[in-house]
């Protein structure tokens, strides 16, 4: 069995089921979180340092109606794309998007939703795949999945057993000397009595996992516990991760507003960062 395949299979099974049963964005708080992340990613488009196909205006809100002429073709890879939150955020600024997700059902739903927006499949589509597997799929070795101007991983890196290896592999998909990797994920937060929001161990080995309501001290079972490998990532760890993968121009920003989970998740609030790096060669 290939490295990471067991943990990846756990994620694949969970997210396949979540997509089929509409568990991913059916609740108001989930929809609010999705809207919040779309706005945050889109609002950081200029900060990313990419020569977009259409430029967001820096003196106003980044919306479809506030675009200026930009440069030529821009390719985006949305890795662990899920239902396409990052793709939706950056869609106005690129000419081509490729999504990759371990879950076949998430991929189907991603493609269904993009088609429903009237987007041509040849411009934007997702495929099932796992770049963390030591035996990568031949379909992901085609030129269509290399030389990206941007690679983004949104709210997914904490599900990867080896995030350092993941970042290294994703950076190799960028255009040398030009491509930018962007990561959005959680900031670790220690809770009372030495607990953590997410344990910094493999959740495949630790099935009993609880989120914590920091204000009330209550514990709440997290239904996706066994798919989580890390509590989040500090600025220092992300800088090492991105620079060691062969990138410069590193930056890490804490988003002003935390994400708030629903009451069934304890109503916990999680701080989020966005980080970037530019491939050097």
């Amino acid at each position: 069995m290939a490295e990471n395949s067991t943990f990846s299979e756990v994620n694949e099974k969970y997210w396949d089921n979540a997509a089929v049963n509409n568990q991913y964005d059916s609740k108001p708080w989930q929809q609010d979180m999705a809207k919040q992340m779309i706005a945050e990613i889109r609002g950081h488009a200029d900060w990313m340092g990419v020569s977009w196909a259409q430029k967001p205006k820096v003196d106003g809100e980044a919306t479809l109606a506030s675009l200026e002429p930009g440069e030529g073709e821009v390719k985006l890879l949305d890795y662990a794309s899920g239902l396409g939150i990052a793709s939706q955020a950056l869609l106005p600024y690129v000419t081509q998007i490729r999504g990759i997700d371990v879950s076949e059902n998430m991929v189907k739903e991603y493609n269904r939703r993009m088609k429903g927006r009237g987007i041509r499949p040849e411009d934007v589509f997702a495929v099932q795949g796992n770049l963390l597997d030591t035996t990568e799929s031949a379909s992901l070795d085609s030129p269509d999945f290399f030389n990206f101007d941007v690679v983004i991983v949104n709210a997914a890196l904490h599900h990867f057993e080896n995030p350092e290896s993941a970042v290294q592999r994703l950076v190799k998909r960028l255009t040398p000397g030009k491509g930018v990797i962007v990561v959005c994920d959680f900031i670790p937060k220690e809770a009372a009595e030495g607990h953590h929001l997410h344990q910094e161990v493999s959740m495949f080995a630790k099935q009993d996992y609880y989120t914590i309501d920091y204000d009330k001290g209550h514990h709440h079972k997290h239904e996706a516990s066994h798919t989580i490998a890390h509590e989040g990532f500090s600025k220092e760890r992300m800088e090492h991760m991105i620079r060691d993968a062969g990138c410069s121009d590193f930056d890490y920003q804490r988003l002003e507003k935390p994400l708030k989970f629903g009451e069934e998740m304890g109503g916990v609030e999680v701080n989020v960062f966005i980080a970037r790096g530019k491939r050097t060669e």
Side-chain angles (χ1 to χ4, degrees):
M1 184 173 289
E3 182 185 2
N4 287 324
S5 60
T6 301
F7 196 74
S8 295
E9 287 165 2
V10 170
N11 271 277
E12 179 183 354
K13 182 178 179 180
Y14 176 81
W15 297 112
D16 264 346
N17 183 67
V20 168
N21 294 300
N22 198 25
Q23 296 174 351
Y24 194 74
D25 66 350
S26 60
K27 299 174 182 178
W29 65 266
Q30 294 172 322
Q31 295 164 7
D32 289 343
M33 287 174 60
K35 291 176 183 177
Q36 182 179 338
M37 286 310 302
I38 289 172
E40 288 285 5
I41 293 170
R42 189 171 290 172
H44 280 79
D46 188 66
W47 166 86
M48 292 177 193
V50 177
S51 296
W52 299 110
Q54 295 186 96
K55 298 179 181 179
K57 289 184 178 179
V58 297
D59 58 348
E61 184 181 1
T63 66
L64 296 178
S66 64
L67 299 175
E68 298 176 340
E71 309 217 359
E73 295 187 357
V74 177
K75 288 179 59 179
L76 167 68
L77 172 60
D78 186 352
Y79 189 72
S81 50
L83 299 180
I85 290 175
S87 295
Q88 292 178 57
L90 297 177
L91 182 62
Y93 313 134
V94 302
T95 55
Q96 185 182 95
I97 299 177
R98 297 294 178 260
I100 301 176
D101 199 281
V102 69
S103 164
E104 180 181 5
N105 289 335
M106 280 289 180
V107 166
K108 289 179 179 177
E109 184 62 15
Y110 175 107
N111 289 331
R112 186 190 71 81
R113 294 188 181 197
M114 289 299 176
K115 183 178 180 181
R117 294 168 64 101
I119 299 169
R120 299 188 309 170
E122 57 265 36
D123 294 331
V124 179
F125 69 84
V127 298
Q128 183 184 21
N130 180 12
L131 294 180
L132 310 188
D133 201 323
T134 53
T135 55
E136 295 178 10
S137 169
S139 64
L140 300 180
D141 286 337
S142 71
D144 200 32
F145 286 93
F146 283 91
N147 290 314
F148 288 95
D149 299 284
V150 192
V151 169
I152 189 164
V153 185
N154 176 49
L157 199 65
H158 63 277
H159 290 284
F160 301 163
E161 208 164 15
N162 189 339
E164 281 78 9
S165 176
V167 169
Q168 289 175 1
R169 294 188 181 202
L170 290 170
V171 167
K172 290 179 181 178
R173 302 280 168 158
L174 290 168
T175 301
K178 175 184 175 183
V180 174
I181 185 167
V182 177
V183 177
C184 301
D185 216 293
F186 303 145
I187 299 174
K189 179 179 180 181
E190 293 187 3
E193 300 178 356
H195 293 291
H196 295 262
L197 176 63
H198 299 150
Q199 297 295 328
E200 188 72 356
V201 295
S202 169
M203 286 302 139
F204 179 72
K206 185 175 177 62
Q207 297 294 331
D208 294 328
Y209 166 69
Y210 293 83
T211 59
I212 297 173
D213 184 329
Y214 294 106
D215 295 326
K216 301 176 183 178
H218 297 161
H219 293 63
H220 306 268
K221 186 67 176 178
H222 190 317
E223 62 183 7
S225 62
H226 56 298
T227 72
I228 298 169
H230 306 273
E231 64 168 323
F233 305 95
S234 66
K235 179 179 180 179
E236 292 74 20
R237 186 174 182 188
M238 284 307 308
E239 182 167 12
H240 283 298
M241 203 182 299
I242 288 177
R243 290 193 186 278
D244 289 349
C247 292
S248 61
D249 296 339
F250 171 80
D251 196 12
Y252 177 109
Q253 293 189 1
R254 173 174 171 163
L255 302 186
E256 184 175 347
K257 184 180 179 182
L259 294 176
K260 184 173 182 179
F261 289 80
E263 290 303 318
E264 68 270 33
M265 303 279 285
V268 66
E269 293 187 354
V270 183
N271 289 309
V272 180
F273 71 84
I274 185 168
R276 68 150 197 250
K278 181 179 179 181
R279 180 174 174 177
T280 55
E281 59 180 33

